[in-house]
Amino acid sequence: DRIARNALRGAVSAAAAVVRKEARERAPVSTGPLKPGDPAPGTLKRAIFQKQIPELSSLLSQTFYVGVRHGKRYRVRGKKGNRSQDAYYWRWVEFGTSRMSARPFLRPAFEAQKQAAVQALADYLAVRIREEVTKLQGSKR
């Protein structure tokens, strides 16, 4: 149970981190002049996250989500300016609109890194299972 719970969760998290990193690299950043009310450049990159979904996870399967934060609860105004993570517009960027062509970053990030994510998962499991077996053998003595 300990190996399943800890090692599997960590392995799937490592795989999701590979996809999240690639999505952050591919996310476009605004370079033009900002209009009043426009989000600060880099908001979309900062808003990309990964999260475990406990409702869909168990000892034998883990589910992680790589997505974009959006909504009022992620609007933050600090002393150093707007560091908001409210990327409410991410769908318009990813899928396009009738006035704007799509500039996808999430789907291509997954497609480009899916093999690397599987490799990261396998590498993590190889190390972690050895560690857990060593702990189990040490506790039996």
Side-chain angles (χ1 to χ4, degrees), residues 5-6 8 16 19 27-29 33 35 37 42 45-46 55 59 61 67 75 88 90 97 111 119 127 138:
R5 181 178 58 249
N6 297 333
L8 183 60
V19 175
V29 177
K35 299 174 193 154
K45 285 183 184 285
R46 281 193 310 275
E55 299 84 24
L59 282 178
S61 75
R75 293 180 189 155
Y88 61 89
W90 79 271
T97 67
E111 290 299 325
Q119 188 61 48
V127 170

Side-chain angles (χ1 to χ4, degrees), residues 20-49:
R20 184 191 73 221
K21 181 181 177 197
E22 181 69 16
R24 283 183 175 169
E25 290 174 6
R26 290 175 177 257
V29 177
S30 175
T31 55
L34 293 178
K35 299 174 193 154
D38 281 355
T43 300
L44 186 57
K45 285 183 184 285
R46 281 193 310 275
I48 298 172
F49 72 101

Side-chain angles (χ1 to χ4, degrees), residues 87-135:
Y88 61 89
Y89 54 90
W90 79 271
R91 285 183 181 90
W92 304 332
V93 176
E94 179 76 11
F95 301 111
T97 67
S98 62
R99 297 180 182 181
M100 179 179 96
S101 62
R103 295 174 60 192
F105 57 97
L106 281 176
R107 289 172 293 157
F110 172 73
E111 290 299 325
Q113 293 298 321
K114 62 185 171 186
Q115 291 302 323
V118 169
Q119 188 61 48
L121 185 137
D123 293 344
Y124 186 94
L125 278 178
V127 170
R128 191 62 189 263
I129 288 174
R130 270 190 240 116
E131 289 174 2
E132 293 293 332
V133 168
T134 304
K135 286 180 189 178

